[in-house]
Amino acid sequence: MKTSFFIHVGEVQAVRGVSFTVNKGEAIGIVGESGSGKSVTSMSVMKLLQYPGKIKSGEVLFKGEDIVEKTDKEMMAIRGNEIAMIFQDPMTSLNPVYTIGDQIIEAIRRHQGLGKKEAKEKAIEMLKLVGIPSPETRVDNYPHEFSGGMRQRAMIAIALSCEPDLLIADEPTTALDVTIQAQILELMKDLKDKINTSIILITHDLGVVADVCSRIIVMYGGLIMEEGTAEEIFYDPKHPYTMGLLKSIPRLDLEQKQRLIPVEGTPPDLIKPPVGCPFTSRCPYAMKICTEHRPPYFEPSKGHRSMCWLLHDKAPKVKVDTGVKRGTA
Ligand code: SF4
């Protein structure tokens, strides 16, 4: 899939050819810095792009049907039912004229077929689950009576009440404190295990996906740089960008004296993206070929792919510091 934004200074090629599959009941993580194309990918999947954004080519197959071809009316029926999305900004999906409780009750009644009384009890339970204090009274509040963090949690409660086939969560826990964040991620895991919901979790934080996702996609410059199982990405990364991200997060599973190193530099200009590898200007291993030709995907093992010339048979053998040294900590 390719998605661009057509603005007055040119075409921003936000997603430049991305392809991946999410199986039933599987949770995948899409990780990358801001501007990597991860959120535009999720908006494209939901067909929620607004002008001047446009899906230029490709298809999004959901249960065998192409979402790109669906009308707005058909998409409205799919969104919130079969596919639910949790956004970074809760105000975009909460309706200001209905109470929080009404919005959860509606989702519960529609999806779980409960009566009004049971649905309200379930709504209170859901609010409690996502950490809303005094849920029995808060259930009758309007969105404007909730703080930003509480609105975020209420929105998560609504999305989870829909029991969707696919849940797309874009930075769902960024604004929340660590304890609530852990509880929300736990809820998402439960949903996956109990009703076999597939999950796409989008985040800039590799630490967030570690617990929930079995497969991880690392995006940069509108492309997938690396895809592999969580084990492969965390313990056998094959792309210098993934290695850079790993060195920038604290890890309890590695040696204690690990120093955190940010990935220096800035992402590429996607109006004039580099012809070669988009990571060239920030990569400590960049070679001449990297600036001239975009690498193809190399598969170090089945299902593990990396877009990097270092994996080519003829690449000079350099010592690569993956930053992964399992310790005794
Ligand atoms: Fe670095 Fe070259 Fe690999 Fe890109 S292709 S990540 S520049 S070594």
Side-chain angles (χ1 to χ4, degrees), residues 179-230:
T179 321
I180 300 290
Q181 177 170 318
Q183 287 169 7
I184 300 291
L185 294 174
E186 202 50 45
L187 267 179
M188 287 172 57
K189 263 204 295 193
D190 266 11
L191 191 72
K192 179 172 76 70
D193 297 341
K194 281 192 197 134
I195 60 167
N196 224 9
T197 291
S198 311
I199 296 175
I200 301 178
L201 177 56
I202 295 152
T203 174
H204 66 281
D205 184 351
L206 257 176
V208 166
V209 289
D211 233 18
V212 183
C213 303
S214 54
R215 211 146 47 83
I216 297 170
I217 287 171
V218 179
M219 281 192 75
Y220 184 81
L223 296 167
I224 293 175
M225 295 287 103
E226 184 166 5
E227 176 178 0
T229 61

Side-chain angles (χ1 to χ4, degrees), residues 239-240 277 279-280 283 285-287 290 295 308-310:
H239 196 284
C277 168
F279 193 53
T280 312
C283 179
Y285 308 104
M287 304 166 278
C290 308
C308 176
W309 283 119
L310 284 178

